[in-house]
Amino acid sequence: MPGTPSPLRDPWDVLVSGPAPDVVRIGLAVPLTGPLALTAPSALDLAALAADECTEAGGVAGRRVELVPVDSGRAPELVVAEAVALREAGVFESLVGFHTSDVHRALARAWAGRGSYVFTPPHEGGRGVGGVRRTGPGPGDQHAAALGWLVRHRRATRWVLLGTDYVWPRAVHRAARTTLAGLGAQVVGEALVPFGPGDPGPLLDLVVRTRADAVLLSLVGRDLVLFHREFARAGLDRRVVRLSGALEENGLYALGGDTTGELYATMPSFAAGSASADEHQLALQERHARRAGAAAPVVCAYARGLHDGVRLACALLAGSRTAPTGPPPPRLARADGLTFEELTSA
């Protein structure tokens, strides 16, 4: 759709211009800063594509759809304060986005009674909150089949769990310990580290010292990329299996791909579960390329989830009884160079 005006609007411009009777606006909570910022170009593009598609399909009760970005890569209290203030000022009617789960939990608590909030990435599990739609998988659903496949087919029985010290990685580790124990595998080491480009040396030492043959990673974005680079530089990538719940296409490009065949991901667009899911991914990529051109950012897993989330938000605003659901539960996928090969969990 070259030449089509972008549906993305600056929040302060909307505050000045005020409401428009022919427009419905949705808040878009996307990490424009922080460790997940490398996904922002993909996310903004795919969210805009979804908004255009909703508008072309008749919009929300005949009104075109616009998106108002909020930087969800900041501290939870800052994200909540801005999102709630903009909602109270009438800048947007509902919220959709992805971010770390500490931001998600803070927003979910603060958003009560303020309309729908669609949260699209893998989440930390636990009881849902009224008005919040979580379209991604929880920790058990996301990792159980992959862990089972690796234990059976790669004889990965000595695991180290490494993640960032916040809600989602802690939940992933709890679920993984239960799953691995049921498979007869061991957790021989575990570490949680702060956000930020810290020294990966102690984490690599833990892998070596425990004689681990597999690592479950719950680092995200930039921090995950830096860890993978140092892991390969240390020569561990060819003898230790890695499984990541947050590796997506931007991250794979940033770390230079993988030639070992032992880097695995459970994000949905890597793990297209069927021929129809592959066709859906290809069709989405084609529509994105037509809209944004050949140099468009890659269609990553986070962006694909956000695209579906914007469509769901539009359907909820329209009161649709046939709102699209989230992506299918992911299966194990292998990142092999810069191509993605499906592996079944059987």
Side-chain angles (χ1 to χ4, degrees):
M1 286 167 274
T4 301
S6 173
L8 296 169
R9 295 289 308 275
D10 182 272
W12 311 115
D13 287 347
V14 175
L15 277 172
V16 171
S17 62
D22 61 337
V23 173
V24 61
R25 294 182 176 125
I26 298 171
L28 190 68
V30 170
L32 306 177
T33 57
L36 279 170
L38 81 169
T39 66
S42 299
L44 293 172
D45 265 20
L46 265 294
L49 173 63
D52 284 343
E53 290 173 343
C54 290
T55 295
E56 289 174 359
V60 175
R63 295 182 293 167
R64 73 177 186 274
V65 179
E66 292 184 346
L67 304 172
V68 182
V70 173
D71 180 7
S72 63
R74 299 168 295 168
E77 62 272 15
L78 297 178
V79 181
V80 168
E82 182 173 333
V84 170
L86 291 172
R87 175 67 181 94
E88 293 300 296
V91 170
F92 44 71
E93 298 182 34
S94 66
L95 188 67
V96 58
F98 72 91
H99 22 269
T100 55
S101 54
D102 52 346
V103 174
H104 164 53
R105 284 199 167 182
L107 268 174
R109 287 192 299 269
W111 204 255
R114 291 184 168 89
S116 63
Y117 165 32
V118 180
F119 182 63
T120 61
H123 61 80
E124 70 278 11
R127 182 177 299 176
V129 177
V132 179
R133 302 292 185 98
R134 299 186 298 190
T135 62
D141 292 337
Q142 187 186 10
H143 291 91
L147 291 170
W149 193 94
L150 291 169
V151 170
R152 291 191 299 272
H153 295 276
R154 287 293 182 269
R155 298 181 181 178
T157 59
R158 295 179 60 83
W159 285 81
V160 167
L161 313 181
L162 303 178
T164 309
D165 192 6
Y166 73 101
V167 182
W168 179 69
R170 292 196 291 267
V172 168
H173 287 195
R174 286 194 300 272
R177 284 194 294 268
T178 300
T179 299
L180 289 169
L183 293 165
Q186 293 178 275
V187 174
V188 297
E190 182 175 359
L192 294 168
V193 297
F195 284 113
D199 176 13
L203 301 181
L204 301 179
D205 290 344
L206 177 62
V207 174
V208 172
R209 188 173 67 252
T210 58
R211 294 178 291 111
D213 46 38
V215 179
L216 175 61
L217 289 164
S218 300
L219 303 164
V220 299
R222 173 196 60 207
D223 298 348
L224 179 64
V225 168
L226 292 175
F227 176 85
H228 280 308
R229 288 176 180 169
E230 293 305 313
F231 198 86
R233 190 170 288 123
L236 293 170
D237 57 328
R238 297 187 178 275
R239 61 186 179 88
V240 180
V241 167
R242 284 163 292 160
L243 174 64
S244 173
L247 178 65
E248 43 72 51
E249 290 82 342
N250 288 290
L252 185 60
Y253 278 115
L255 64 91
D258 173 70
T259 59
T260 68
E262 297 296 349
L263 172 59
Y264 298 82
T266 60
M267 287 294 271
S269 64
F270 280 166
S274 64
S276 62
D278 288 334
E279 291 171 4
H280 174 72
Q281 177 80 3
L282 289 172
L284 184 60
Q285 290 170 344
E286 290 172 1
R287 298 199 305 275
H288 180 221
R290 285 198 302 270
R291 182 185 186 279
V298 64
V299 176
C300 75
Y302 286 122
R304 178 176 170 176
L306 195 65
H307 173 273
D308 292 341
V310 169
R311 291 178 57 224
L312 173 56
C314 291
L316 291 170
L317 285 168
S320 172
R321 292 175 180 262
T322 57
T325 61
R331 301 184 186 179
L332 179 63
R334 181 170 66 211
D336 185 9
L338 292 178
T339 62
F340 316 119
E341 174 187 345
E342 182 196 357
L343 299 175
T344 68
S345 57

